[in-house]
Amino acid sequence: MSNKAGFLNLSIANILSDEQSMLTQARIRLLFYGLWVVFACVGAVFLSVLYSHEGALVAMSGGILVTVVMLFKYLTWKGDWKLVAHILLVMGTLLNLADAFIIFQKIDIISIQLVLLIIIFSFYMLGQNWGLLYSLANLSPVLMFMVYTYNNIYIINIRPVHLDQFTLILCVLANFVVMVFIHNHFYNAFLKNILELKRTSEEQTRLNETLEVAIDKAEKSSHAKSEFLSTMSHEIRTPLNAVIGMSNLLMMGNPRKDQEENLEILKFSANNLLAIVNDVLDFNKIESGKVVFENIRLDLPELLNNICGGQIIKANEKGLVFKLKIDDVLRNKTLIGDPTRITQIIFNLVSNAIKFTRQGFVEVKASCQEQREDQVTVRFSVRDSGIGIEQDNLKAIFEPFTQESITTTRKYGGTGLGLAIVKRLLELKGIQMQVTSKPGQGSEFWFDMVLPLINEVAQEPVVAKVKAVSAEEQEMSDLHILVAEDNMVNTMLMKKFFSKWHVRSTFAENGERAVEMMSYGNFDIVLMDLQMPVLNGFDAAMEIRKMADHQKAAVPIIALTASALTDIREKVFSAGMNDYVAKPFKPDELKEKILKLVHHRSARRHQPVE
């Protein structure tokens, strides 16, 4: 009901509102205009019986007129249409019973009309349940009365009233007018409702078509974005692979001190560029929900020392004191987790701390909050004495491509993706990042991570490690590797690495040539670039798996990819390849995966056949 309705209100507009359904509005209109019709009809009957000097009928019709006026006033004041409808139906029921049992003491056309009127009105106004109730309340006594009078057992001492013909005609006409009005009103409401439903349906159909077009565009846009990222990743990573790879090779060749410094700068700049590319690609992976967390053994102190190793140099170059504190409880414990993602999180936090700290310190801390038999809760925190963050900006810094202000971006640089990646990675594990900061005094970022615990810690003697390294070198020298690579710079780079490892290698310039070489040559493992002319790496791998020679068909295949597609892992394994290495690759990672697959194949060959 509108707030404009009040005691003096006489307008229907003030008791209707947009929140009401079409049916409710139709019921209110029926009452509003119907009460006027009833008033007019009963008024005509009142004048007729007044002229005929029928005292009982004058009192009854006058009482009905007064009640109708009061109900109209209540409706326009409170807008309570349900109560008004119930009062009208109760009044109609009592009138019907009084007519049949007392006033006329017979069932005539007026009684039948009144019953029909109550049935129609109750169903339209109050629905099925109330309609049935009021219908039975009127039909049952009428039928009972007809049965009693049929057997001549109805006896009452009150003399029945007899209407003159004019009043009878007027009553019949009045009842018909009210019934026609109710039917006409609800027919129009029903018709409008059907038309509105049709219009809504047509509009919904248009909206669905528009939505389908929008979804199709969004899917195409998403696919185009993924393809663009993949292409750009490939185009950027390919030369970076050469830059970083050649830097590693030159540094392995015992360069002079000044050459080593130049190579460090070259490698540092290339890694910075790679970090920016990786940030964009990782954020895209996280947003598309394609991040997969590993659960492998990790030595937390060693991992943190590796993460902070390069960062200490950056901090010292700025004159900052770098502190790494690891709880003694965490030492000599083997935990289960994802070292790649932990590295990514801590590295981003530490890089930010160093970037935004001009003087003072940066502290990285790992402390044991709770230890159980099978798990440990570790609190990781990164604290600095940097520029700090305003309280109003604490949420904004975790948004992608956002820093605290434009001034901060211009002064310190960066993509603004680091903290967004950290926050989303932690949220995927159900962990919340906590921040405390004061402008000009520094910030602290911390979170608690539950890591499964392995109680047994294997201690490997140094002598055993040395022997393992020499055995590894011997094993690498016995391998014959087929490399499918179309980029000449990458080919040259890998030849140099294989030369260092004393590995025999054969190179194919495309996938078709690689399949051809596999058909007449014997290789221990295949390194397969994915994007090649003539035949790409996926199709080449599937062709190898179809070979009639089971030994050749089962050769381990490692994909070499610079692609950024989030589902690259699934595509690689679907094509029958065993593993993949992202470019620019780390030499030790590539060597480790080669040896792992060769060992696995060798173990399967020597398994006894049952």
Side-chain angles (χ1 to χ4, degrees):
M1 185 180 70
S2 173
N3 293 328
K4 296 179 182 179
F7 183 75
L8 299 178
N9 174 55
L10 292 176
S11 172
I12 190 174
N14 293 332
I15 57 176
L16 295 175
S17 67
D18 295 334
E19 290 79 16
Q20 295 164 339
S21 67
M22 189 177 293
L23 180 59
T24 298
Q25 291 183 1
R27 286 166 170 169
I28 293 173
R29 287 192 177 93
L30 174 64
L31 280 176
F32 184 87
Y33 297 113
L35 287 171
W36 280 102
V37 174
V38 171
F39 182 82
C41 292
V42 175
V45 173
F46 173 76
L47 293 176
S48 176
V49 295
L50 182 65
Y51 179 78
S52 302
H53 303 290
E54 293 288 347
L57 294 179
V58 169
M60 185 172 65
S61 56
I64 293 173
L65 281 175
V66 172
T67 304
V68 168
V69 171
M70 292 173 64
L71 289 176
F72 181 82
K73 182 69 260 173
Y74 182 78
L75 177 68
T76 55
W77 176 27
K78 295 293 186 180
D80 190 353
W81 60 272
K82 287 185 179 179
L83 180 60
V84 173
H86 278 295
I87 292 173
L88 282 173
L89 286 165
V90 169
M91 185 174 69
T93 302
L94 294 175
L95 180 62
N96 183 36
L97 296 177
D99 282 350
F101 286 90
I102 300 172
I103 299 174
F104 300 114
Q105 298 179 20
K106 66 177 180 178
I107 303 301
D108 56 10
I109 187 171
I110 296 176
S111 301
I112 300 299
Q113 281 183 318
L114 196 56
V115 171
L116 289 175
L117 191 59
I118 290 171
I119 291 173
I120 294 167
F121 186 76
S122 62
F123 272 100
Y124 280 160
M125 286 300 300
L126 299 174
Q128 184 180 12
N129 294 333
W130 284 109
L132 286 171
L133 180 65
Y134 282 110
S135 298
L136 291 173
N138 283 268
L139 281 172
S140 300
V142 167
L143 291 173
M144 190 185 306
F145 181 85
M146 292 177 72
V147 171
Y148 285 166
T149 54
Y150 177 77
N151 294 314
N152 296 317
I153 60 175
Y154 178 76
I155 301 172
I156 189 169
N157 294 326
I158 300 174
R159 184 175 62 85
V161 174
H162 296 281
L163 289 178
D164 62 88
Q165 190 66 20
F166 176 77
T167 305
L168 178 64
I169 294 171
L170 193 60
C171 288
V172 171
L173 178 62
N175 284 334
F176 275 128
V177 167
V178 174
M179 281 192 284
V180 169
F181 171 77
I182 293 173
H183 276 296
N184 178 68
H185 179 83
F186 266 95
Y187 175 78
N188 285 332
F190 175 75
L191 190 60
K192 287 180 181 178
N193 196 32
I194 292 294
L195 293 174
E196 181 66 21
L197 286 173
K198 182 180 179 183
R199 187 189 64 80
T200 303
S201 176
E202 291 173 351
E203 186 177 345
Q204 188 66 42
T205 302
R206 286 195 299 270
L207 286 174
N208 287 338
E209 291 173 354
T210 305
L211 182 60
E212 286 176 5
V213 172
I215 290 173
D216 185 55
K217 286 182 178 178
E219 288 175 350
K220 288 180 179 177
S221 175
S222 177
H223 181 70
K225 184 183 78 170
S226 295
E227 290 292 340
F228 171 76
L229 286 171
S230 178
T231 303
M232 291 307 297
S233 168
H234 186 271
E235 295 305 315
I236 295 172
R237 283 171 178 262
T238 299
L240 272 178
N241 183 47
V243 173
I244 294 175
M246 285 298 180
S247 300
N248 286 325
L249 277 172
L250 291 171
M251 291 178 72
M252 290 165 63
N254 298 319
R256 297 193 313 268
K257 185 67 177 177
D258 59 326
Q259 292 175 331
E260 186 175 356
E261 289 176 357
N262 292 337
L263 288 171
E264 285 286 358
I265 294 171
L266 178 64
K267 185 179 176 182
F268 177 78
S269 299
N271 281 326
N272 270 356
L273 179 56
L274 181 61
I276 293 172
V277 174
N278 285 339
D279 275 352
V280 175
L281 301 180
D282 280 339
F283 186 76
N284 183 57
K285 277 185 183 179
I286 293 167
E287 289 293 282
S288 61
K290 298 292 181 68
V291 173
V292 178
F293 289 91
E294 291 183 311
N295 287 301
I296 60 177
R297 290 173 177 244
L298 60 90
D299 184 334
L300 192 58
E302 181 182 355
L303 180 65
L304 290 174
N305 277 301
N306 289 338
I307 295 170
C308 298
Q311 302 293 334
I312 292 173
I313 298 172
K314 289 170 65 177
N316 291 340
E317 287 174 353
K318 292 186 70 173
L320 304 176
V321 177
F322 194 99
K323 306 172 187 176
L324 174 59
K325 296 180 179 180
I326 303 172
D327 201 327
D328 290 335
V329 179
L330 299 174
R331 298 187 182 276
N332 299 322
K333 290 190 182 298
T334 304
L335 305 175
I336 298 293
D338 189 334
T340 303
R341 298 303 171 190
I342 293 175
T343 299
Q344 197 172 10
I345 292 166
I346 302 298
F347 182 86
N348 273 309
L349 292 175
V350 175
S351 295
N352 264 19
I354 294 173
K355 182 193 297 184
F356 297 111
T357 304
R358 290 190 295 266
Q359 58 183 6
F361 68 90
V362 172
E363 180 185 83
V364 181
K365 189 176 180 181
S367 57
C368 178
Q369 295 298 109
E370 182 183 6
Q371 182 178 351
R372 297 183 181 178
E373 186 178 346
D374 59 344
Q375 67 181 35
V376 60
T377 302
V378 182
R379 173 164 294 179
F380 296 94
S381 69
V382 178
R383 189 164 62 96
D384 62 65
S385 58
I387 60 175
I389 307 161
E390 295 286 351
Q391 290 297 315
D392 295 340
N393 295 328
L394 285 178
K395 289 185 179 179
I397 60 173
F398 289 104
E399 294 303 316
F401 306 104
T402 303
Q403 292 184 349
E404 188 179 8
S405 66
I406 296 175
T407 306
T408 304
T409 305
R410 288 175 178 170
K411 187 172 182 179
Y412 294 97
T415 60
L417 277 175
L419 289 178
I421 290 172
V422 167
K423 180 175 182 286
R424 281 160 173 74
L425 282 175
L426 290 175
E427 285 176 346
L428 289 173
K429 296 291 286 183
I431 301 170
Q432 289 296 319
M433 170 64 73
Q434 306 294 330
V435 189
T436 55
S437 184
K438 289 184 179 180
Q441 296 183 30
S443 308
E444 182 178 9
F445 293 79
W446 59 273
F447 60 92
D448 293 337
M449 181 178 284
V450 178
L451 298 171
L453 174 66
I454 299 177
N455 292 319
E456 297 178 3
V457 179
Q459 299 292 333
E460 189 178 359
V462 177
V463 177
K465 287 184 179 179
V466 173
K467 288 181 180 178
V469 171
S470 60
E472 182 182 283
E473 291 177 353
Q474 179 61 43
E475 191 170 6
M476 288 293 288
S477 65
D478 293 337
L479 297 179
H480 188 189
I481 299 177
L482 173 63
V483 183
E485 174 63 71
D486 66 313
N487 186 282
M488 294 302 298
V489 176
N490 288 340
T491 300
M492 182 176 64
L493 179 64
M494 297 194 76
K495 282 180 178 178
K496 289 182 179 292
F497 273 116
F498 291 151
S499 176
K500 292 279 185 184
W501 296 340
H502 307 290
V503 173
R504 286 190 302 149
S505 58
T506 301
F507 287 81
E509 63 273 15
N510 57 59
E512 185 180 68
R513 182 69 178 141
V515 175
E516 191 178 313
M517 287 182 173
M518 273 296 302
S519 64
Y520 61 75
N522 293 311
F523 301 95
D524 298 294
I525 195 164
V526 178
L527 302 184
M528 185 77 73
D529 186 32
L530 297 182
Q531 297 186 14
M532 293 183 292
V534 186
L535 191 68
N536 64 47
F538 297 108
D539 294 335
M542 288 189 280
E543 289 297 321
I544 291 172
R545 294 296 181 230
K546 294 176 185 176
M547 287 184 172
D549 188 330
H550 295 300
Q551 293 296 330
K552 292 182 178 181
V555 66
I557 304 175
I558 297 177
L560 298 175
T561 175
S563 173
L565 286 176
T566 54
D567 56 349
I568 193 68
R569 180 189 180 94
E570 289 79 5
K571 287 187 175 182
V572 165
F573 291 134
S574 297
M577 290 180 262
N578 304 85
D579 208 337
Y580 72 97
V581 174
K583 299 176 185 177
F585 61 83
K586 297 175 184 177
D588 290 340
E589 181 189 3
L590 179 60
K591 183 193 287 186
E592 181 183 344
K593 292 197 174 186
I594 289 172
L595 290 173
K596 179 181 176 182
L597 288 173
V598 170
H599 285 162
H600 182 67
R601 189 188 189 199
S602 177
R604 290 185 63 183
R605 279 178 176 176
H606 292 91
Q607 278 183 350
V609 179
E610 295 182 1

